[in-house]
Amino acid sequence: MKRSFILSIVCFIALISSSCSKKFEQYPEDRNFESDIFDPGDKKGTGAKQFLFDIYASLPGGFNRIDGDYLDAATDDAVSSSFASNIVLFTNGQLTSANYPDNNWKNCYSIIRKSNFFLKHIGVVLIPDSVKNDQMAEARFLRAFAYFELLKRYGGVPLVGDTVFSLSDNLSLPRNTFAECVDYIASECDAAAEGLPNGAKIASADFGRVPSEAALALKCRLFLYAASPLYNGGGFEVNPGLKILTGYPDADPARWQKVITAAEALTKASYYKLPSGTGNAAYSAVFTTKINTDIILSKQSSASTSIEVSNAPVGFVAPAASNGRTSPTQNFVNAFPNQDGSPYTGSSTDMNQYNGRDPRMKSILFYNGVKWLGRNIETFEGGLDKPNLPFKTQTRTSYYLRKFMGDFTNSTSYSNQSHNFPYFRFAEVLLNYAEALNEVGRTEDAVAPLKLIRARAGITAGTNGRYGIPAGISQAGLRDLIRNERRIELSFEEHRFWDVRRWKIAGTVLNTTLKGLKIVNSAGSLTAEEQTVSTLTFQNKYYHMPVPYSEMIRNPRLIQNEGYN
């Protein structure tokens, strides 16, 4: 992660060159890296297909990927259970271009480089045009996805088009503007969508490959960010030259319409939808059922117990010790509404606060008294899951993260589960759609997709069938409700970190104290008190990530984001 994009290009070219310069001729002299992979004699295109799969493998995961933690542990929703994690650099005011723990620059440009290399050479492989066109569309999508991952972190970045650089090329490239990057990514999404099969046509054996709806979902998310307050004329930069790199210099409310158009195009495709069922079991199944119609695209991995081992409460030691790495906050718990959809207004220290709440809470959180592996979880002081032993990693809040795990309520040990990190979900598209409709003043229209989300969650419809959404709700009121719904529905899927930035509210929600519970068990009687577990610090410069220092010193034409050295 610390090596630069330019260095990766040089290494890649060096790899190609080295394959042609051997002391002894072990292979015919006309063999090289390109012809070995993209071989006209490879009638099945096996080498090219493997190269494409390697690009897929380069996509980032989301499970515990930042020094062992979820990115959400750098928000108000959770803290790392470990005091040694670098995730705190996002929240303690010490983030710099040299210590940035989510430096995805090199990896994204590696994906872009590989995609361009694939597109340049796939033409010589004598596979059917239909297969070739599908694969080219996949490569274009993967390239667009990589550019979006760069855009949301840094703003505008160098666009290299279809170029595959050689050692003699000038690799000192300037950053393109935010607008240029948005336009480029959107055009690539359109091109990819035309060439990709829709989800209904992807065989189960090929699940995980990009459907056309993923390109629409990426475009929808791209436009959502572009229309949001931070990017839509709301940049904080003083330097106009920097401001056009990190957003549009002027606000245009019409940008929300692009989100609506993209969302409607995807929903009209009809294949993706919220799966049947309601309540916590239906919600949990989205993340443990490998193939379902909520998951548009996800990171594929072998079935395992890795998520359970990483995040389940620490008192469970067989067959492998659980590490309890993630401690959700009381701030996050307070965000869950009641089961009738109304806001929870009770006490955060009430040990009965979990009763009658949004059913998703049981899918997302472990709290004291929940049954797991045949016994009740103990997060009171000195309990099995908060033993307070020296050097023992344990919950700091009395909560652990349950989301993404199989149901081991009555089991005696873990068994391998499907854990594929979701990149795009139909539920997100519905929430994007609701947000955009509300922002253009179609507030009542925005209620409909929210009702679908809440119905699947198990929120009760009520006598008016509005699932707790007040009749006649204002635009501002629905805006707050939509934001809270995203916080819950998309929790720990790497949305909250970016959402509070694009909404330009991070200066408030990330300049705060994070709370947890200290629970005392006195002769079987439990009492709780709220305590501060972390104090977050946020500065305006943290709305954008720093261009990595390693890139700045190698490319003098790059401009650093405001506030970073």
Side-chain angles (χ1 to χ4, degrees):
M1 297 291 284
K2 295 181 179 178
R3 297 181 182 177
S4 69
F5 159 50
I6 296 172
L7 183 58
S8 70
I9 292 175
V10 172
C11 291
F12 195 82
I13 296 168
L15 176 63
I16 295 172
S17 300
S18 66
S19 68
C20 305
S21 55
K22 297 183 182 291
K23 186 174 181 180
F24 300 102
E25 185 185 339
Q26 298 175 331
Y27 305 101
E29 290 185 356
D30 61 349
R31 292 282 298 275
N32 57 37
F33 184 81
E34 294 96 327
S35 62
D36 283 349
I37 299 299
F38 301 96
D39 182 358
D42 184 1
K43 303 300 183 183
K44 294 183 179 180
T46 303
K49 185 177 181 180
Q50 185 56 51
F51 189 91
L52 181 63
F53 285 174
D54 181 62
I55 307 176
Y56 275 93
S58 299
L59 293 176
F63 299 124
N64 300 90
R65 71 175 183 85
I66 308 292
D67 201 16
D69 289 298
Y70 284 87
L71 184 60
D72 297 62
T75 73
D76 51 344
D77 285 353
V79 294
S80 174
S81 299
S82 168
F83 286 94
S85 174
N86 283 332
I87 197 79
V88 297
L89 292 170
F90 286 117
T91 59
N92 66 5
Q94 297 179 21
L95 182 69
T96 71
S97 63
N99 66 13
Y100 173 43
D102 185 32
N103 177 2
N104 224 3
W105 186 286
K106 180 208 168 191
N107 187 60
C108 285
Y109 272 111
S110 176
I111 292 170
I112 292 165
R113 164 77 189 186
K114 290 175 183 178
S115 298
N116 285 352
F117 194 82
F118 181 89
L119 292 167
K120 179 178 179 179
H121 294 288
I122 186 61
V124 304
V125 183
L126 301 180
I127 54 178
D129 287 343
S130 59
V131 175
K132 189 179 300 184
N133 290 338
D134 282 355
Q135 292 182 351
M136 291 175 68
E138 287 176 79
R140 293 185 76 169
F141 169 85
L142 294 169
R143 180 173 66 181
F145 193 11
Y147 272 121
F148 175 76
E149 289 295 303
L150 290 166
L151 184 73
K152 75 179 184 183
R153 287 169 170 81
Y154 311 108
V157 294
L159 295 173
V160 300
D162 296 327
T163 303
V164 178
F165 289 97
S166 69
L167 288 172
S168 61
D169 288 326
N170 178 11
L171 302 180
S172 295
L173 305 173
R175 294 172 63 178
N176 286 78
T177 67
F178 180 86
E180 289 169 340
C181 290
V182 170
D183 290 346
Y184 177 77
I185 297 170
S187 66
E188 287 298 293
C189 287
D190 289 339
E194 289 182 5
L196 291 167
N198 62 43
K201 294 182 179 180
I202 294 181
S204 58
D206 290 328
F207 182 78
R209 300 187 74 170
V210 180
S212 59
E213 291 92 342
L216 297 175
L218 174 57
K219 188 167 73 165
C220 185
R221 188 186 295 175
L222 169 73
F223 288 151
L224 181 79
Y225 277 57
S228 297
L230 176 64
Y231 303 105
N232 196 359
F236 65 89
E237 291 83 359
V238 175
N239 183 335
L242 276 174
K243 198 166 187 175
I244 64 170
L245 294 180
T246 55
Y248 294 108
D250 301 311
D252 183 358
R255 293 190 176 108
W256 288 107
Q257 184 57 47
K258 292 184 177 182
V259 185
I260 295 170
T261 302
E264 289 178 344
L266 195 153
T267 56
K268 286 177 181 177
S270 300
Y271 176 71
Y272 291 98
K273 57 187 176 182
L274 298 181
S276 61
T278 62
N280 67 297
Y283 180 77
S284 294
V286 169
F287 309 104
T288 57
T289 304
K290 184 177 178 66
I291 302 176
N292 67 81
T293 54
D294 194 353
I295 300 293
I296 300 173
L297 183 66
S298 57
K299 173 79 170 183
Q300 298 301 291
S301 59
S302 300
S304 71
T305 61
S306 60
I307 306 306
E308 289 77 13
V309 169
S310 294
N311 297 299
V314 299
F316 298 96
V317 296
S322 299
N323 295 317
R325 187 58 188 243
T326 305
S327 298
T329 61
Q330 185 66 43
N331 310 58
F332 180 53
V333 174
N334 293 344
F336 286 83
N338 296 313
Q339 188 163 2
D340 65 3
S342 64
Y344 176 73
T345 57
S347 171
S348 61
T349 59
D350 184 350
M351 294 306 297
N352 294 314
Q353 64 179 294
Y354 317 109
N355 299 332
R357 299 287 288 276
D358 183 333
R360 287 172 294 189
M361 180 183 285
K362 293 182 179 180
S363 299
I364 297 171
L365 299 172
F366 287 117
Y367 47 86
N368 189 79
V370 169
K371 192 175 181 181
W372 187 247
L373 288 180
R375 72 160 172 86
N376 291 343
I377 289 170
E378 299 178 357
T379 57
F380 52 79
E381 299 301 303
L384 291 173
D385 302 299
K386 196 181 182 190
N388 294 331
L389 298 174
F391 310 110
K392 175 71 172 179
T393 298
Q394 62 178 16
T395 178
R396 296 165 59 189
T397 60
S398 85
Y399 301 107
Y400 288 102
L401 180 65
R402 183 172 185 169
K403 187 170 178 176
F404 307 115
M405 297 184 191
D407 183 4
F408 296 104
T409 302
N410 298 307
S411 303
T412 57
S413 64
Y414 300 135
S415 59
N416 287 339
Q417 300 291 305
S418 176
H419 297 306
N420 301 319
F421 187 79
Y423 291 135
F424 299 98
R425 288 173 51 206
F426 186 74
E428 181 209 343
V429 175
L430 290 177
L431 289 164
N432 296 349
Y433 189 39
E435 183 174 344
L437 288 170
N438 188 54
E439 293 303 328
V440 299
R442 295 172 57 185
T443 296
E444 191 55 35
D445 289 341
V447 170
L450 279 184
K451 287 165 63 177
L452 294 175
I453 295 286
R454 287 193 152 199
R456 194 271 297 276
I459 301 294
T460 54
T463 56
N464 61 0
R466 292 180 66 87
Y467 297 88
I469 303 170
I473 190 170
S474 68
Q475 183 187 48
L478 192 63
R479 180 183 296 124
D480 290 340
L481 193 150
I482 290 168
R483 291 178 177 182
N484 195 69
E485 198 69 28
R486 285 183 70 93
R487 184 179 187 180
I488 296 167
E489 176 70 26
L490 305 179
S491 59
F492 298 92
E493 297 176 44
E494 297 206 350
H495 288 278
R496 180 70 174 172
F497 184 93
W498 305 109
D499 279 346
V500 297
R501 284 167 169 78
R502 69 179 179 84
W503 292 327
K504 210 176 176 183
I505 62 172
T508 300
V509 301
L510 298 184
N511 265 324
T512 191
T513 55
L514 301 185
K515 303 293 185 178
L517 296 185
K518 180 179 181 179
I519 304 172
V520 176
N521 183 4
S522 177
S525 178
L526 299 178
T527 58
E529 62 178 272
E530 195 172 80
Q531 60 181 3
T532 297
V533 297
S534 182
T535 300
L536 305 186
T537 299
F538 187 87
Q539 304 170 38
N540 277 346
K541 68 179 181 179
Y542 297 145
Y543 274 112
H544 307 294
M545 297 298 103
V547 177
Y549 175 73
S550 57
E551 303 301 326
M552 296 297 299
I553 62 175
R554 286 175 171 84
N555 182 355
R557 300 185 71 186
L558 289 178
I559 300 175
Q560 182 59 274
N561 285 332
E562 191 163 300
Y564 298 101
N565 295 325

